[in-house]
Amino acid sequence: MKIAFPIRLKWIRFKFWLSDLFSIQHERRFIDRDAGKLGGVLLIAAVLLTSCGSFQIGVEPTGTPVVDSTPPAPTTVEPEATPAEIQTQTAHADRPGPDIYWMPYGSGLLESDDVIMAEDGVVGFSESPVTFELFYDFSPSSGRIAYGSEFWHAAANSNRAVSDLWVYDFAFEQAHQLLADNVGRALFSPRLASSGSSDRLAAVVFSPERGGFDLALVESDGSLDVLAECASPSFSWSPDGSMIAYEAWTDPEEESTRGECEDVFVVSIDDRSVTKLSEQPPSTGGWHGDQPIWAEGQDALLLTYASPESVFAVAPLDGSGAFLVDKAESIPVDYLPNPMFSLWSETHNSVIGQTEGMFDPFGVWVYQFSQDMRTVQDAYRITVDGRELDLQLIGWWEEGESVLLRDITNLSELNQFGRAIAWSLEDRSWQPVPDNTAPIEVRLHEDDVRSGVDAVDQAIEAFVDGDRGDRLALLKMISAECVAEEFGVGPPLCPAGTSAGTELVVFPYRVYRGTEFAAEEELAALVDFEINGLYAVHPISGEFEDAWWPAGDYRIVFASPDDDHAVEVIVDQDGNIVRIEFREQTPVEVLYGYSGDFIIPPVD
């Protein structure tokens, strides 16, 4: 059994990726976890191969079903970080702008002007000084943003995705357009060109005359200093700002022969010399998140590689030719996920990469390489207290040592940011980072409050005043036919040696993204948790129901000991507990937007 949370330990916050799992239409009764992941990979691959642009695929979270009356407006208090929660980031008081300004590459602001910023060690949504449709890059060295004011469109007589190029400068609080069209990507140098100057800005610019991208430095007046006449949006600056690595590739729909427009190159900024490092391995073909990764300290580039056998290729800077990276047999997964955006830690000889899927939408993996770079000798997904959360990789918190992650598993209408955490590569541990999201105050009823409905009150007493035995006595087991293949939402999985269709006697519960089922010997552990008190009770009507998932008649909402999470105890009209749902949001968030009748409403 997958225990819902560590007994008497702080719970972990999650949002349900599919919103309310059982609002799914019945065209497909069950959701296959593995098939969903494969479908997500194929869908994302199709989008990426369509053009050079990047498109974010996701599902907007929705609230609980709206019925007929409204709980009181939530009370919020200003965030106040305790000293133990604060992990200090290197301060940059001598430069303009925030320490971090971040949006997923290629994503515009859409209906909101909020972006993720980090200032003075506090992370969260802040209003952007400019609106944009495409985010290219941010330079913490100079406090400048590179962006596109319009979404991708096809370049003239081509299917290459391009836009314009603007730069906003925090120091002068001004924005100006550098290029009106044909920009495929733009990146700032990680180092200032000279003391007191701005960092250099490189861009790939489509040439209608040649029918391909040029790699160029963009001057402050918008003029181009072309470095290479055959490139792609897959490029990256060296850590010291002296070189740019780029992949050149040929569009398979265009008639051409293999030559200067395919392979992996580096160009020197000082003398403009171009060096071919290797032939182009069949990587993901120039997607914007697929730029070469500079393996500083190893004199090599890492290229993401679209193959089940390997997710990386290495191109040594000495020009000896690219080779594929093997996976150590000790790594417990059959195939490593392909990162969509990556950082390199020289100290730990590791790539930290963002991965994305359908039913496992956002993960962050660490890939540790052998010294010769020929093997990924260790790889793990970053987890928080053993939970595989939906995490977004924002960037370095302490460069080379810890990364800043955004936990988006607990998003709601009241908390659309989630929370910020820092992951230490050395300790493989996490720490919360102060954020600017106002915490939600959860007001609970006194312990002696009852509904007057016997079926409800005996369950309230079992959890507020009773012990484990009182809770166990109210659980109602169900009989359900098991299935041979595990589903995210569906009937119980058959135990080893049991054929599909066998009747199992189990108790249904819900945790994180899907349905779970406890056997009789697991029930004691399932109900052995603490609560802080009663939040609300309301009747249930018109919810999903199946033989393996009883709907019940009343929902009793309790708060966790830290008030950060809700436990929903579902009872029928006879007072039997028919299922338990461990929610990964506060009770206020769980019932936010519910407008039906209450038997016990939230505290005013």
Side-chain angles (χ1 to χ4, degrees):
M1 182 185 72
K2 299 176 183 176
I3 301 299
F5 46 81
I7 307 302
R8 295 187 174 88
L9 295 180
K10 182 176 177 65
W11 302 353
I12 306 307
R13 304 184 68 187
F14 294 83
K15 86 172 169 64
F16 290 94
W17 174 248
L18 294 177
S19 175
D20 209 11
L21 289 170
F22 307 114
S23 65
I24 300 169
Q25 296 299 314
H26 287 265
E27 284 117 356
R28 185 175 185 190
R29 292 185 63 226
F30 315 136
I31 298 175
D32 185 342
R33 287 173 174 151
D34 293 332
K37 290 181 183 179
L38 177 60
V41 170
L42 295 177
L43 177 60
I44 291 171
V47 172
L48 299 184
L49 293 174
T50 301
S51 73
C52 300
S54 168
F55 301 86
Q56 187 174 4
I57 301 172
V59 178
E60 287 297 320
T62 60
T64 50
V66 174
V67 269
D68 278 306
S69 99
T70 325
T75 302
T76 59
V77 295
E78 289 303 313
E80 186 173 317
T82 61
E85 291 178 324
I86 297 176
Q87 181 174 347
T88 304
Q89 188 189 32
T90 304
H92 299 284
D94 58 340
R95 70 185 188 201
D99 297 315
I100 293 173
Y101 178 103
W102 182 89
M103 282 290 289
Y105 185 81
S107 296
L109 288 174
L110 302 177
E111 297 177 357
S112 170
D113 289 340
D114 290 342
V115 297
I116 293 174
M117 294 192 201
E119 297 185 83
D120 300 324
V122 178
V123 180
F125 279 137
S126 299
E127 185 175 359
S128 173
V130 289
T131 59
F132 52 80
E133 290 296 324
L134 294 173
F135 172 63
Y136 294 132
D137 197 18
F138 168 69
S139 169
S141 299
S142 63
R144 296 195 296 164
I145 308 165
Y147 61 95
S149 67
E150 60 181 42
F151 198 66
W152 305 115
H153 64 267
N157 302 317
S158 174
N159 65 353
R160 305 297 175 90
V162 294
S163 182
D164 58 2
L165 174 61
W166 289 71
V167 168
Y168 175 82
D169 196 319
F170 274 98
F172 301 101
E173 298 182 348
Q174 292 179 346
H176 64 282
Q177 186 183 64
L178 291 179
L179 297 171
D181 200 2
N182 292 324
V183 177
R185 192 180 188 196
L187 290 174
F188 290 108
S189 165
R191 297 287 184 269
L192 297 181
S194 61
S195 177
S197 69
S198 295
D199 40 9
R200 288 167 164 152
L201 178 62
V204 286
V205 182
F206 185 77
S207 169
E209 295 76 21
R210 287 197 316 97
F213 282 113
D214 294 332
L215 174 63
L217 297 177
V218 185
E219 305 297 343
S220 58
D221 61 358
S223 60
L224 299 179
D225 181 358
V226 176
L227 303 174
E229 291 188 347
C230 188
S232 79
S234 295
F235 77 94
S236 59
W237 286 88
S238 63
D240 63 2
S242 66
M243 294 183 288
I244 295 177
Y246 62 95
E247 298 180 51
W249 46 270
T250 301
D251 191 316
E253 297 181 2
E254 296 177 359
E255 294 184 5
S256 65
T257 58
R258 184 178 181 88
E260 64 170 349
C261 274
E262 281 185 64
D263 297 326
V264 182
F265 301 88
V266 293
V267 58
S268 168
I269 303 301
D270 290 338
D271 61 18
R272 312 306 169 91
S273 61
V274 176
T275 303
K276 175 181 171 179
L277 296 186
S278 75
E279 292 188 349
Q280 173 66 54
S283 66
T284 50
W287 178 57
H288 288 284
D290 185 32
Q291 68 267 34
I293 306 164
W294 286 83
E296 193 175 14
Q298 296 292 350
D299 295 324
L301 297 177
L302 282 166
L303 311 170
T304 54
Y305 186 77
S307 166
E309 290 75 31
S310 180
V311 295
F312 295 104
V314 172
L317 295 181
D318 63 10
S320 56
F323 56 85
L324 298 183
V325 180
D326 295 325
K327 177 179 76 70
E329 293 183 0
S330 59
I331 296 176
V333 297
D334 292 333
Y335 301 109
L336 291 173
N338 193 281
M340 319 272 287
F341 160 71
S342 301
L343 302 173
W344 170 260
S345 169
E346 178 183 5
T347 305
H348 298 279
N349 214 51
S350 297
V351 164
I352 304 92
Q354 176 79 62
T355 63
E356 296 182 19
M358 184 63 74
F359 282 91
D360 188 13
F362 294 98
V364 177
W365 280 71
V366 178
Y367 312 80
Q368 188 174 54
F369 288 74
S370 59
Q371 285 302 311
D372 62 7
M373 300 296 288
R374 292 189 172 271
T375 306
V376 176
Q377 63 183 18
D378 189 18
Y380 65 92
R381 177 174 175 163
I382 293 178
T383 61
V384 176
D385 293 346
R387 294 285 192 177
E388 293 184 349
L389 307 186
D390 291 338
L391 301 176
Q392 287 184 323
L393 176 61
I394 306 301
W396 290 117
W397 189 243
E398 182 184 359
E399 188 154 354
E401 296 294 339
S402 62
V403 288
L404 176 63
L405 307 173
R406 178 188 175 205
D407 171 13
I408 60 173
T409 53
N410 63 338
L411 300 186
S412 72
E413 291 296 317
L414 300 179
N415 177 11
Q416 297 191 17
F417 171 74
R419 64 172 176 173
I421 64 176
W423 177 264
S424 168
L425 298 174
E426 178 68 30
D427 301 333
R428 299 193 180 186
S429 62
W430 70 280
Q431 293 291 333
V433 173
D435 62 61
N436 62 10
T437 301
I440 298 167
E441 182 179 357
V442 180
R443 297 178 178 177
L444 301 176
H445 290 280
E446 297 294 333
D447 287 349
D448 59 355
V449 170
R450 297 294 181 266
S451 69
V453 178
D454 290 341
V456 170
D457 290 342
Q458 64 180 350
I460 293 176
E461 290 169 5
F463 283 90
V464 173
D465 297 326
D467 57 20
R468 186 172 65 181
D470 296 322
R471 300 176 183 184
L472 286 172
L474 296 179
L475 298 184
K476 183 179 180 179
M477 307 292 280
I478 63 169
S479 180
E481 293 183 358
C482 68
V483 292
E485 186 176 2
E486 185 177 14
F487 293 93
V489 177
L493 181 68
C494 293
T498 304
S499 59
T502 300
E503 293 277 343
L504 300 181
V505 177
V506 291
F507 180 81
Y509 66 100
R510 171 181 174 180
V511 60
Y512 197 11
R513 292 181 182 138
T515 53
E516 305 287 351
F517 300 88
E520 187 171 1
E521 63 272 16
E522 300 170 318
L523 297 180
L526 179 67
V527 300
D528 192 12
F529 57 85
E530 294 180 354
I531 62 168
N532 196 29
L534 174 67
Y535 180 72
V537 180
H538 69 82
I540 292 174
S541 175
E543 292 199 0
F544 176 88
E545 185 172 18
D546 210 314
W548 46 270
W549 195 259
D553 297 294
Y554 304 99
R555 173 176 283 108
I556 307 170
V557 183
F558 296 104
S560 66
D562 56 13
D563 290 343
D564 279 349
H565 310 86
V567 179
E568 298 180 32
V569 175
I570 312 302
V571 300
D572 62 19
Q573 59 186 356
D574 298 321
N576 300 306
I577 298 174
V578 296
R579 71 176 194 268
I580 298 176
E581 303 197 15
F582 299 94
R583 300 300 296 263
E584 318 303 341
Q585 298 166 332
T586 66
V588 179
E589 292 169 285
V590 167
L591 288 182
Y592 182 76
Y594 173 78
S595 56
D597 295 328
F598 283 97
I599 297 173
I600 300 178
V603 177
D604 290 333

